[in-house]
Amino acid sequence: MAVGVLDVGCFSAHLVIVERDLTRPLVSHKVRLRLDRELDSTGAISAAGVESLCAAVRAARKKAGDVPFLPFATSSVRDSTNAQEVMRKVARRTGVDLKVLSGKEEARYSYAAARHWFGWSAGPMVVLDVGGGTVELAAGFGAEPEFALSLPLGARTLTRTGLAVEEMRAEVRDRLSEAFPRDESARAVGCSKVFEQLARLAGARNGTYAQRQLRLKDLEKWIPRLAKLSVRERAALPGISRHRAQQSLAGAVVAEGLMKVSGHDVVDISPWSTKEGLLLDLVERSRGRRESAA
């Protein structure tokens, strides 16, 4: 039985439908969004932002056809000051009830995705996920993390503070140092677009199945370079997409802080994150229902 997830984030609404194998999706349909441009000074999503969100959800529903899918919104909607109103409008206009995962749930699903990507032989893992609004951290030895945490230190959030680089570094260090257990023996995994793009910027090969890493020494070299560049100049760099260029500096500072606080000079890059963790859970539930019915 096919199952699907609609991941509604700041920059896109991404529908993915799979049957068993996540590496071979039946449908992968993405509609671009720019909710970062539709937040007013109070943190509310504008009417234009709601309209673009409804259009994206309608397109996903049409593309999914009869396949059931779980629609969830990340921090760009969850943390907006009018989140409940936005979700009511989306439900009324599209017939789709957006779900909101807590930050800790996102951390758990990111951990599950990274665990499946690298396999059970990877040993203890610490999973680092830098989003736009929040960062998620999780650590553990088995299928479920023993520790999961979410903090409002995402690349977009930090960019909107207007802080200089050293001020951002201090903010990240202060917020993380008492919150996350240091474990240098665990395998560090970065599983977000921020880590993927930073690894590419630092010279890692492109491609979902390429073995990629991000080294702290490379990140420390790039942060002052990014700080000197305009948004347009950053967007011309390898790995930095145009719509993420403005927050790329803050993303690099957060990634650096996570690596330092967790005690890792190198992180392995996982292309799977929260969305894939949810899909894995849905596939497992579907398999359980089939076995019970047999």
Side-chain angles (χ1 to χ4, degrees), residues 42-118:
T42 70
I45 297 175
S46 69
V50 174
E51 288 302 322
S52 65
L53 189 55
C54 288
V57 172
R58 285 192 204 99
R61 184 178 182 182
K62 182 178 180 180
K63 194 74 176 179
D66 294 331
V67 177
F69 63 92
L70 191 158
F72 78 98
T74 57
S75 65
S76 55
V77 174
R78 180 185 68 214
D79 297 335
S80 64
T81 55
N82 60 339
Q84 294 303 315
E85 178 187 356
V86 169
M87 289 190 289
R88 282 196 298 269
K89 287 181 178 179
V90 170
R92 186 168 64 247
R93 298 177 189 179
T94 70
V96 175
D97 290 314
L98 284 178
K99 306 294 187 292
V100 176
L101 301 178
S102 69
K104 186 170 288 189
E105 286 175 316
E106 286 191 24
R108 287 180 53 252
Y109 283 119
S110 291
Y111 175 90
R115 172 62 71 188
H116 276 76
W117 181 261
F118 285 104

Side-chain angles (χ1 to χ4, degrees), residues 178-246:
E178 296 181 1
F180 194 65
R182 188 181 182 93
D183 185 359
E184 298 176 17
S185 66
R187 181 175 192 164
V189 176
C191 61
S192 62
K193 288 296 183 184
V194 169
F195 273 107
E196 288 189 66
Q197 293 192 352
L198 289 172
R200 181 78 180 93
L201 177 65
R205 289 182 298 166
N206 201 12
T208 300
Y209 300 104
Q211 292 185 353
R212 295 170 292 173
Q213 291 183 324
L214 176 63
R215 299 182 183 279
L216 182 59
K217 64 180 182 180
D218 293 329
L219 195 51
E220 290 173 331
K221 291 177 183 177
W222 269 107
I223 287 175
R225 297 178 191 175
L226 289 171
K228 293 178 182 178
L229 298 177
S230 68
V231 172
R232 183 185 295 271
E233 290 170 327
R234 292 177 197 168
L237 294 170
I240 304 299
S241 59
R242 179 176 53 81
H243 57 283
R244 295 179 186 270
Q246 183 175 15

